[in-house]
Amino acid sequence: MNVVSAVRKAKEEAVKIAHTIFKEGLVFETWGNVSSRPTEKQVVITPSGIHYEKLQYKDMIVVNMSGEVDEGKWKPSSELPLHLSIYQARKDVKAIIHTHSILATAFAVCRQEIPVVVEDLAQVVGGPVKVAEYAHPGSDELALNAVKVLGTENNAVLLANHGLVVLGDDFPTALQRCRVIERNAQIIIWSKILGSPYTLGPKEVKELRKKYLYEYGQKLLKRGSHSC
Ligand SMILES: [Zn+2]
């Protein structure tokens, strides 16, 4: 796929994913944002302050890795520094979804990580969702704090008193992680009402993730057929 087609596809996907997270209640009004990196040198990101219900393909912004606008008539999301810093730090990341989903944000407000208590968080996200130190929304400090906690392997981070940032090698992966994290936040809150939830240990979490990556679903069948 050439650069023009890749950017066009990224814009289409960004609009679609923005509408999906709005419909699912993971974001509201104009808060939250999504981006993807269709080429090494460009990022597609949602604009600042436009309601999700009104968001269209033509509203998407294309920026270079320094944050200068290459395409689009609006100001990019105020969290552009956060998105760019993550892409610069993590070559494996191609899509980012930043939500303000209520239950994950409840953990962010309490500055508590979301621990692994059921298999899906271990399988899909790969471990607990840790909390980055508080910084003003849209600031370079917020971006630095998030990148620090994400490190080289974490796929999601809670922003203290703010929301959630989820990474993926594409939008469907990042969206699935957003859903799984919100579901886990809900399970933990409910289980705390019933008693004291047991957390799965690092060894078990690692094993669940490994099995999911290499054995779950139809992946083995596909790989098997390729190797024949
Ligand atoms: Zn935010």
Side-chain angles (χ1 to χ4, degrees):
M1 194 184 300
N2 65 34
V3 171
V4 175
S5 308
V7 170
R8 194 188 308 133
K9 187 168 171 256
K11 283 182 175 182
E12 285 165 3
E13 286 174 349
V15 178
K16 207 171 144 194
I17 215 82
H19 288 160
T20 302
I21 59 174
F22 176 72
K23 277 183 206 140
E24 295 187 11
L26 298 170
V27 290
F28 73 107
E29 297 276 337
T30 60
W31 282 272
N33 34 71
V34 308
S35 76
S36 74
R37 173 166 54 181
T39 70
E40 286 299 307
K41 293 177 182 169
Q42 286 183 310
V43 166
V44 170
I45 190 162
T46 42
S48 177
I50 295 183
H51 198 291
Y52 284 94
E53 282 178 327
K54 291 182 180 162
L55 212 54
Q56 295 177 48
Y57 175 87
K58 62 182 170 61
D59 299 319
M60 294 299 107
I61 316 290
V62 182
V63 297
N64 64 23
M65 295 312 284
S66 307
E68 292 151 350
V69 175
D70 284 345
E71 280 178 43
K73 56 181 175 177
W74 305 113
K75 203 163 69 169
S77 162
S78 56
E79 293 297 0
L80 180 63
L82 171 71
H83 290 254
L84 289 179
S85 299
I86 295 170
Y87 288 125
Q88 275 151 7
R90 291 277 297 268
K91 300 297 169 209
D92 58 316
V93 174
K94 299 279 188 277
I96 300 171
I97 302 178
H98 167 43
T99 75
H100 288 189
S101 56
I102 293 170
L103 301 171
T105 305
F107 278 82
V109 166
C110 292
R111 302 190 184 182
Q112 279 179 25
E113 72 173 31
I114 301 175
V116 180
V117 292
V118 290
E119 61 174 344
D120 53 15
L121 191 66
Q123 291 167 326
V124 171
V125 179
V129 184
K130 295 176 181 164
V131 190
E133 269 184 52
Y134 181 79
H136 196 72
S139 65
D140 291 339
E141 194 187 355
L142 179 91
L144 277 175
N145 294 349
V147 164
K148 196 169 148 192
V149 172
L150 285 165
T152 55
E153 289 188 348
N154 290 328
N155 294 311
V157 59
L158 290 166
L159 306 176
N161 298 76
H162 182 160
L164 173 70
V165 179
V166 177
L167 323 181
D169 50 10
D170 55 25
F171 273 133
T173 305
L175 177 62
Q176 186 188 40
R177 286 177 175 151
C178 290
R179 290 168 172 158
V180 165
I181 291 167
E182 188 66 2
R183 191 184 106 85
N184 274 261
Q186 186 173 27
I187 289 168
I188 293 161
I189 292 166
W190 279 108
S191 59
K192 280 187 175 179
I193 294 169
L194 289 172
S196 304
Y198 288 90
T199 301
L200 297 175
K203 200 176 158 206
E204 179 62 10
V205 168
K206 214 171 164 184
E207 190 62 21
L208 285 165
R209 175 73 174 149
K210 204 170 111 188
K211 278 190 180 264
Y212 178 75
L213 286 176
Y214 301 108
E215 295 175 27
Y216 186 77
Q218 301 302 320
K219 289 175 185 135
L220 269 186
L221 291 177
K222 277 186 196 165
R223 283 178 188 178
S225 62
H226 282 309
S227 63
C228 287

